[in-house]
Amino acid sequence: MSDQLVTFLKPTLDVVDAADYLLISKYTVINRIKQGKLKAYKQGRHWKIKREWLLEYEQGLIESKK
Protein backbone atom coordinates (compact mmCIF):
# COMPACT_ATOMS: atom_id res chain seq x y z
CA MET A 1 0.00 0.00 0.00
CA SER A 2 1.30 3.42 -0.78
CA ASP A 3 2.19 5.81 2.02
CA GLN A 4 0.47 8.57 0.09
CA LEU A 5 -2.89 6.80 0.36
CA VAL A 6 -2.44 6.22 4.10
CA THR A 7 -1.85 9.92 4.74
CA PHE A 8 -5.33 10.66 3.38
CA LEU A 9 -6.88 8.56 6.14
CA LYS A 10 -7.82 10.45 9.28
CA PRO A 11 -6.19 9.23 12.51
CA THR A 12 -9.62 8.02 13.70
CA LEU A 13 -12.37 6.89 11.35
CA ASP A 14 -16.05 6.22 11.80
CA VAL A 15 -17.85 3.18 10.40
CA VAL A 16 -18.79 4.91 7.13
CA ASP A 17 -15.21 6.07 6.48
CA ALA A 18 -13.88 2.57 7.17
CA ALA A 19 -16.51 1.02 4.91
CA ASP A 20 -15.65 3.43 2.09
CA TYR A 21 -11.95 2.63 2.45
CA LEU A 22 -12.48 -1.14 2.49
CA LEU A 23 -15.15 -1.00 -0.24
CA ILE A 24 -17.69 -2.84 1.91
CA SER A 25 -20.96 -1.80 3.54
CA LYS A 26 -21.14 -0.07 6.91
CA TYR A 27 -23.17 -3.04 8.17
CA THR A 28 -20.31 -5.39 7.32
CA VAL A 29 -17.90 -3.14 9.24
CA ILE A 30 -20.20 -3.19 12.28
CA ASN A 31 -20.51 -6.98 12.06
CA ARG A 32 -16.72 -7.39 11.87
CA ILE A 33 -16.35 -5.16 14.94
CA LYS A 34 -18.92 -7.19 16.88
CA GLN A 35 -17.22 -10.44 15.80
CA GLY A 36 -13.92 -9.11 17.14
CA LYS A 37 -12.26 -9.19 13.73
CA LEU A 38 -11.82 -5.41 13.55
CA LYS A 39 -10.72 -3.42 16.60
CA ALA A 40 -12.85 -0.41 17.49
CA TYR A 41 -14.15 1.53 20.46
CA LYS A 42 -17.36 3.37 21.18
CA GLN A 43 -17.46 7.12 21.56
CA GLY A 44 -20.95 7.78 22.80
CA ARG A 45 -23.18 5.78 20.48
CA HIS A 46 -20.73 5.69 17.56
CA TRP A 47 -18.00 3.22 16.73
CA LYS A 48 -14.54 4.69 16.12
CA ILE A 49 -11.63 2.88 14.48
CA LYS A 50 -8.01 3.98 14.72
CA ARG A 51 -6.19 4.19 11.40
CA GLU A 52 -3.58 1.66 12.58
CA TRP A 53 -6.29 -0.85 13.47
CA LEU A 54 -7.93 -0.49 10.07
CA LEU A 55 -4.62 -0.99 8.28
CA GLU A 56 -3.82 -4.04 10.44
CA TYR A 57 -7.21 -5.51 9.56
CA GLU A 58 -6.63 -4.82 5.87
CA GLN A 59 -3.18 -6.43 6.02
CA GLY A 60 -4.71 -9.51 7.65
CA LEU A 61 -7.20 -9.77 4.79
CA ILE A 62 -4.42 -9.52 2.23
CA GLU A 63 -2.33 -12.18 3.97
CA SER A 64 -5.28 -14.56 4.33
CA LYS A 65 -5.83 -14.47 0.56
CA LYS A 66 -2.28 -15.61 -0.19
Side-chain angles (χ1 to χ4, degrees), residues 1 18-19 21-25 28-33 35-40 49-65:
M1 175 185 339
Y21 177 77
L22 295 171
L23 303 176
I24 57 178
S25 77
T28 301
V29 172
I30 292 168
N31 286 334
R32 303 268 167 85
I33 290 168
Q35 293 168 353
K37 295 179 180 180
L38 176 58
K39 287 193 234 176
I49 305 159
K50 290 186 177 182
R51 175 175 49 207
E52 302 85 44
W53 296 344
L54 183 66
L55 297 176
E56 287 172 9
Y57 175 76
E58 180 186 37
Q59 189 62 37
L61 290 177
I62 292 168
E63 290 174 4
S64 71
K65 290 185 179 184

